[in-house]
Amino acid sequence: DQQVKQNSPSLSVQEGRISILNCDYTNSMFDYFLWYKKYPAEGPTFLISISSIKDKNEDGRFTVFLNKSAKHLSLHIVPSQPGDSAVYFCAASVEGNFGNEKLTFGTGTRLTIIP
Amino acid sequence: KAGVTQTPRYLIKTRGQQVTLSCSPISGHRSVSWYQQTPGQGLQFLFEYFSETQRNKGNFPGRFSGRQFSNSRSEMNVSTLELGDSALYLCASSLAFSRGGYEQYFGPGTRLTVT
């Protein structure tokens, strides 16, 4: 079963506007959530993360919001830039004996920024 | 600092054959994880190695195996290839232990096509 879901396979946003990418999860044991960005022919690169004890984390143009009661998180990009066009993956992990090594990923959302 | 490298970048194999993929982690990183990326499934965790020992394992059949060498380099092997094994195989490296929220550094992946 898909424990981490990204229900929008694609999203188009005008340059300068806000991009909002959504992610839902089912496993209440997840204690860390991460967003990765992937360009074609490259591996995913880490963007931002949030612990389950927080509801917001901000890093420059990127903000992640976590709603634990709804099991929902979102990534906001403001303002959106053409270089933000990529596939975005939401990921989650449960702390095990050795830390949070095993990531469970969503299926990704392709974000296209329109100039 | 050099990133994660994976070889080869592209492979074409036929059904029934076996394949070995290689991953060199970032210098100083001792944990190596492998993921399979297919359309519609996102990234799925295969296994994770640390100090030549498999610490975590995903839900893949025994045809998928791996190992890690004393220099932290890792190899992944798939035996008796099936058409459904066609995918992008990503390797990620990280520090030995991290209590959540850390990022894994991904390589560019090996694109395997099974015909």
Side-chain angles (χ1 to χ4, degrees):
Chain A
D1 66 335
Q2 195 74 27
Q3 295 187 58
V4 177
K5 300 178 186 178
Q6 294 177 258
N7 292 320
S8 299
S10 63
L11 175 69
S12 294
V13 174
Q14 206 76 32
E15 181 180 357
R17 306 293 291 268
I18 182 172
S19 294
I20 300 176
L21 295 96
N22 294 303
C23 179
D24 297 296
Y25 62 95
T26 57
N27 187 346
S28 56
M29 299 297 291
F30 287 139
D31 55 6
Y32 263 92
F33 303 89
L34 307 89
W35 284 94
Y36 282 81
K37 172 180 177 180
K38 186 179 186 299
Y39 292 120
E42 294 182 14
T45 54
F46 171 78
L47 263 181
I48 191 169
S49 67
I50 187 168
S51 160
S52 60
I53 63 173
K54 296 187 175 181
D55 54 19
K56 177 182 174 181
N57 188 28
E58 194 171 348
D59 184 3
R61 296 187 298 115
F62 302 92
T63 303
V64 57
F65 295 92
L66 176 62
N67 182 334
K68 280 193 354 182
S69 60
K71 293 192 177 67
H72 176 83
L73 68 155
S74 60
L75 174 68
H76 292 210
I77 306 173
V78 182
S80 299
Q81 299 173 353
D84 296 330
S85 295
V87 176
Y88 289 77
F89 289 96
C90 168
S93 69
V94 177
E95 183 180 357
N97 294 330
F98 307 105
N100 294 64
E101 299 82 13
K102 178 180 174 181
L103 297 178
T104 301
F105 282 85
T107 52
T109 296
R110 181 177 301 280
L111 175 65
T112 302
I113 305 302
I114 304 164
Chain B
K1 183 149 84 164
V4 178
T5 57
Q6 291 187 247
T7 55
R9 293 294 309 276
Y10 302 92
L11 261 181
I12 300 176
K13 291 284 188 178
T14 56
R15 276 178 296 176
Q17 287 187 312
Q18 76 163 17
V19 67
T20 299
L21 313 181
S22 180
C23 171
S24 293
I26 291 172
S27 177
H29 285 192
R30 296 173 64 191
S31 170
V32 174
S33 299
W34 288 89
Y35 293 84
Q36 180 195 65
Q37 184 188 2
T38 54
Q41 292 293 319
L43 282 77
Q44 295 186 290
F45 177 80
L46 280 153
F47 28 65
E48 182 251 350
Y49 286 86
F50 172 74
S51 274
E52 304 175 61
T53 301
Q54 187 181 87
R55 295 197 301 190
N56 287 286
K57 189 176 188 307
N59 298 322
F60 278 81
R63 299 186 298 108
F64 292 81
S65 63
R67 60 177 175 168
Q68 187 181 35
F69 302 94
S70 58
N71 61 358
S72 295
R73 190 177 71 84
S74 177
E75 286 182 349
M76 181 194 131
N77 185 75
V78 188
S79 63
T80 320
L81 283 166
E82 300 176 359
L83 293 178
D85 296 334
S86 295
L88 180 68
Y89 290 88
L90 291 158
C91 162
S93 77
S94 62
L95 295 170
F97 181 93
S98 177
R99 190 177 182 281
Y102 75 103
E103 59 273 22
Q104 292 186 1
Y105 294 87
F106 283 83
T110 295
R111 171 74 62 188
L112 172 65
T113 302
V114 182
T115 61

